[in-house]
Amino acid sequence: MTNKDLANIIFPDITKTIEDYKNMYPARNLEEGAKVTRFAPSPTGFMHLGGFYQAIIDKVLAHNSKGIFYLRNEDTDQKREVKEAVELIMTTLNYYNVTPDEYEFNDEVIGNYGPYIQSKRKEIYHTFIKHLIEIDRAYPCFCKKEELDEMRTKQEKYKSRIGYYGRYAKCRNLSIDEKIEKIKNGEEYVIRFKSLGDNEKRFFFDDLVRGTLSLPENDQDIVIMKSNDKLPTYHFAHFVDDYLMHTTHVVRGEEWLPSVPVHIELFKAFDAKAPKYIHTPLIVKKEGNSVRKLSKRKDPEATMSYYEENGYPQEAVIESLMTIINSNYEEWHDKNPDKTYLDFTFSPKKMSATGGALYDMEKLNNISKNFISKLSAIEVYDRLSNWAKTYDKEFFELITKYKEYTINILNIEREQKKPRKDYENYKGIKPQIWYMYDELFDTKEKEYDFQNITDKDEIKLILNTYMEKYYDESDDKDTWFNKVKKLSEELGYASNMKEYKENPDNFKGNVADVSTVIRVVVTTSSMTPDLYEILKLLGKTRILKRINLI
Ligand code: GLU
């Protein structure tokens, strides 16, 4: 019996060869230097910020070089529910316009290098594994869990390296006939790669972020096919897919760095050129004086849905990630305010190789505030409405009913040289403008804080005098303000701040105190955008009604 016989016994139905697949997945027809990148998440039903940040790098690299960015779902861990998880990944990418050039979604396959879902590529993996068995570079391993555990305990006890290698690789030494017999007897097995490496030797590896690294050769006979579902492990599946799909650049988390020797050996075993690797630093956040990994469990901002739920503009989220992707991004963006992140030339060397990539919500909030402040009122309205449709139905109905009115509210101190920077996200808009809607104003428990003026009769006097003698809906802003000053003078408040500061005892207060009373009665808040605009939009009837409420 030969290894070929063994391979046929294990994979009787595999009739194709690796050559067939190489022909089916020919080199891509792209310009010189074009990069082929992929986002290859394992669908877990959860989209981590760290995954999304890798997808952005993939997209930028491909876009910069007129290449291809594709999505591959790595679902070989079948314990998980895949369908919704794949949907979540795709809808998240689409939501941010980080749509891949090639993907598979809802039975639609875009691109010639699919299937793009690993569980549908079983036959391909089997063909490659069959080949390895034929050339004596892979073998079935019948070791049971207990045996492996025992071996591990021994290795720990004698302080040997942990793993299945060298003299510990027991099944490596079974004869072909023994292997066949065990299979015929129905013994369970996995398939292991047969390493030819020597852990004492080192080789040079170029990581595009970290530069040239000296790594030990792999000598582990890693599992490449699991026993129960006969699906490959990540190590093997990623090799086959990146090879056939002609990936030029693999962007993945630094937790994969220790697996590089295995991966390089797999590529070598097939005489294939390995892609370039960009191992991205972990996303970390500050906690007190130290930094720690952004955690799915502890940090809501670790999940992409957080940004959608809170209504952060997609552009701001991407921008905040770009600033941690490349340290020079911000400067570039300041110089090129009209360009998008896709125009930026990403350089892996400018990623932080040690200490992680520091993510900061404060930074996102600032970027977002700036971004929203530069939108037109109609744009903010459309985005707000889109967000509210899903996340705040009641508010959605209100702003739909009063569309023009809402646009006017959103236009206060906007579309000018120095627009107001109030909103960090769409969710934060309602808490700042709710008082403009009677439906919300009338139903809310209100607390008024008139600040310096506390006497109820005095407050009433100010408001009544204002409405009776000075209020005129058609006044322009200057006239309006002059009238508030006159009102102040009439009631014994300073209209000139300088005079007030010089002789505070001569006055009951000043014009700011008086306008605060007007502001608070119509909004309940002493901090609002331009009062003149607010009064104008509210109109006389509503102002009177609100005065009567106190
Ligand atoms: N499926 C792997 C993961 O989710 C992807 C690693 C890679 O991009 O190669 O970690």
Side-chain angles (χ1 to χ4, degrees):
M1 289 282 194
T2 64
N3 278 314
K4 230 181 151 97
D5 299 317
L6 175 64
N8 276 327
I9 287 169
I10 294 178
F11 295 112
D13 300 329
I14 295 297
T15 51
K16 287 201 185 73
T17 65
I18 59 169
E19 290 310 317
D20 293 331
Y21 282 111
K22 285 194 213 169
N23 292 333
M24 283 164 66
Y25 296 92
R28 289 169 179 272
N29 193 5
L30 295 170
E31 278 178 27
E32 176 88 23
K35 297 183 173 95
V36 179
T37 60
R38 86 294 193 276
F39 178 41
S42 302
T44 56
F46 172 86
M47 180 96 170
H48 195 284
L49 184 73
F52 184 64
Y53 125 108
Q54 285 157 9
I56 291 180
I57 300 174
D58 286 320
K59 175 100 181 170
V60 172
L61 277 176
H63 189 270
N64 282 174
S65 64
K66 298 202 178 69
I68 295 287
F69 159 50
Y70 70 88
L71 172 68
R72 183 173 76 222
N73 280 295
E74 304 209 322
D75 63 339
T76 56
D77 188 355
Q78 292 272 297
K79 275 172 247 136
R80 295 158 166 167
E81 187 50 60
V82 174
K83 200 171 170 299
E84 287 92 58
V86 169
E87 197 171 315
L88 174 74
I89 290 161
M90 197 63 200
T91 47
T92 306
L93 293 179
N94 282 338
Y95 177 73
Y96 286 92
N97 222 349
V98 184
T99 309
D101 303 304
E102 297 175 7
Y103 58 88
E104 181 162 347
F105 184 53
N106 281 346
D107 296 328
E108 183 189 28
V109 184
I110 305 290
N112 298 325
Y113 290 81
Y116 295 91
I117 297 184
Q118 285 188 331
S119 55
K120 295 189 183 177
R121 299 172 64 82
K122 206 167 177 174
E123 192 184 333
I124 306 175
Y125 304 127
H126 286 181
T127 306
F128 275 69
I129 295 172
K130 188 172 185 182
H131 173 80
L132 282 183
I133 297 174
E134 285 169 2
I135 63 167
D136 196 26
R137 289 300 306 275
Y139 61 90
C141 165
F142 305 90
C143 289
K144 305 215 166 20
K145 190 178 171 295
E146 302 75 56
E147 284 174 84
L148 294 172
D149 288 347
E150 199 180 306
M151 187 177 94
R152 193 191 169 93
T153 315
K154 232 192 226 161
Q155 287 170 339
E156 277 166 358
K157 187 168 164 205
Y158 295 109
K159 301 212 164 25
S160 299
R161 265 185 312 119
I162 306 294
Y164 204 87
Y165 60 92
R167 65 194 170 90
Y168 294 105
K170 224 167 85 188
C171 291
R172 195 192 245 236
N173 302 322
L174 294 173
S175 70
I176 297 173
D177 288 342
E178 280 170 318
K179 290 173 198 156
I180 292 175
E181 201 189 315
K182 280 175 178 289
I183 291 172
K184 289 201 166 145
N185 287 340
E187 278 192 45
E188 282 206 1
Y189 60 90
V190 297
I191 304 286
R192 286 186 185 271
F193 177 56
K194 184 171 175 179
S195 170
L196 301 183
D198 176 351
N199 189 250
E200 301 288 306
K201 287 194 189 144
R202 299 185 83 85
F203 68 101
F204 288 113
F205 168 73
D206 277 320
D207 178 69
L208 296 194
V209 176
R210 288 162 177 79
T212 306
L213 305 173
S214 160
L215 302 175
E217 282 183 10
N218 170 61
D219 68 347
Q220 301 272 348
D221 285 0
I222 59 149
V223 174
I224 55 176
M225 190 184 90
K226 296 173 283 169
S227 70
N228 49 356
D229 54 15
K230 309 283 179 218
L231 278 167
T233 54
Y234 163 72
H235 301 297
F236 195 73
H238 113 279
F239 147 69
V240 172
D241 294 346
D242 284 329
Y243 175 51
L244 290 180
M245 296 176 176
H246 300 277
T247 308
T248 63
H249 289 68
V250 168
V251 178
R252 64 181 181 187
E254 65 181 9
E255 67 275 18
W256 293 111
L257 203 54
S259 307
V260 164
V262 176
H263 299 161
I264 297 296
E265 198 186 358
L266 282 171
F267 276 92
K268 248 193 182 156
F270 285 87
D271 220 3
K273 187 168 168 247
K276 295 195 160 64
Y277 286 91
I278 292 176
H279 287 99
T280 57
L282 272 180
I283 299 194
V284 293
K285 74 179 277 185
K286 262 213 168 97
E287 196 172 61
N289 285 333
S290 54
V291 294
R292 64 162 174 81
K293 189 179 158 195
L294 198 63
S295 136
K296 164 177 159 185
R297 209 166 36 82
K298 290 193 211 151
D299 308 309
E301 74 270 28
T303 317
M304 286 317 289
S305 58
Y306 172 82
Y307 302 93
E308 208 174 318
E309 282 158 22
N310 285 285
Y312 280 96
Q314 292 93 322
E315 295 85 343
V317 176
I318 291 180
E319 211 173 293
S320 75
L321 288 172
M322 286 305 291
T323 63
I324 63 166
I325 285 171
N326 263 186
S327 48
N328 58 328
Y329 178 79
E330 246 178 312
E331 199 188 324
W332 174 86
H333 192 250
D334 287 345
K335 285 194 191 133
N336 300 279
D338 299 328
K339 294 197 172 165
T340 81
Y341 76 102
L342 288 174
D343 302 313
F344 174 76
T345 307
F346 163 75
S347 158
K349 287 229 154 50
K350 294 204 174 90
M351 291 201 95
S352 73
T354 49
L358 187 63
Y359 189 69
D360 179 2
M361 278 304 286
E362 212 34 56
K363 177 113 197 166
L364 168 65
N365 287 334
N366 277 330
I367 291 175
S368 192
K369 263 189 200 167
N370 248 320
F371 180 83
I372 297 177
S373 78
K374 289 185 187 135
L375 298 175
S376 70
I378 295 183
E379 279 171 310
V380 181
Y381 176 84
D382 287 343
R383 285 165 178 259
L384 171 65
S385 155
N386 223 339
W387 172 84
K389 197 189 263 173
T390 312
Y391 296 104
D392 189 345
K393 286 238 159 50
E394 180 202 33
F395 195 47
F396 171 72
E397 276 158 27
L398 212 52
I399 63 173
T400 306
K401 187 166 162 198
Y402 304 115
K403 181 169 174 180
E404 285 312 309
Y405 178 66
T406 303
I407 292 173
N408 287 332
I409 297 169
L410 295 171
N411 205 26
I412 299 177
E413 293 185 62
R414 180 176 296 281
E415 298 182 27
Q416 59 191 32
K417 200 152 173 260
K418 281 203 166 161
R420 215 179 145 91
K421 295 178 184 175
D422 280 340
Y423 311 130
E424 283 169 1
N425 49 44
Y426 311 132
K427 191 178 181 173
I429 296 181
K430 181 167 137 189
Q432 295 190 58
I433 66 170
W434 63 275
Y435 53 74
M436 296 303 286
Y437 303 89
D438 283 346
E439 286 83 343
L440 301 177
F441 196 86
D442 293 345
T443 50
K444 182 156 167 148
E445 280 276 326
K446 290 173 280 291
E447 256 179 57
Y448 299 90
D449 179 2
F450 292 98
Q451 309 265 313
N452 294 342
I453 305 177
T454 48
D455 183 71
K456 200 123 194 239
D457 292 336
E458 181 70 11
I459 290 168
K460 286 233 154 112
L461 177 70
I462 292 172
L463 294 169
N464 292 338
T465 316
Y466 173 60
M467 289 312 283
E468 278 158 25
K469 288 176 72 175
Y470 295 99
Y471 176 83
D472 184 343
E473 214 155 355
S474 58
D475 282 343
D476 64 20
K477 194 167 174 179
D478 285 342
T479 316
W480 169 79
F481 193 53
N482 281 329
K483 286 186 175 174
V484 177
K485 282 185 180 168
K486 284 220 178 78
L487 164 73
S488 306
E489 285 163 14
E490 178 181 331
L491 298 177
Y493 295 82
S495 62
N496 178 312
M497 288 309 275
K498 202 169 153 242
E499 276 176 31
Y500 177 69
K501 276 188 189 137
E502 281 165 10
N503 288 303
D505 296 341
N506 292 352
F507 305 95
K508 284 202 252 171
N510 63 55
V511 63
D513 299 327
V514 172
S515 51
T516 296
V517 167
I518 305 173
R519 191 187 301 273
V520 171
V521 83
V522 291
T523 67
T524 75
S525 166
S526 56
M527 301 257 287
T528 76
D530 193 278
L531 179 58
Y532 167 75
E533 300 283 348
I534 290 175
L535 293 173
K536 209 171 156 74
L537 284 172
L538 285 173
K540 187 169 183 177
T541 320
R542 260 195 284 199
I543 299 172
L544 282 172
K545 201 172 137 204
R546 291 184 184 193
I547 290 174
N548 286 333
L549 284 178
I550 57 152

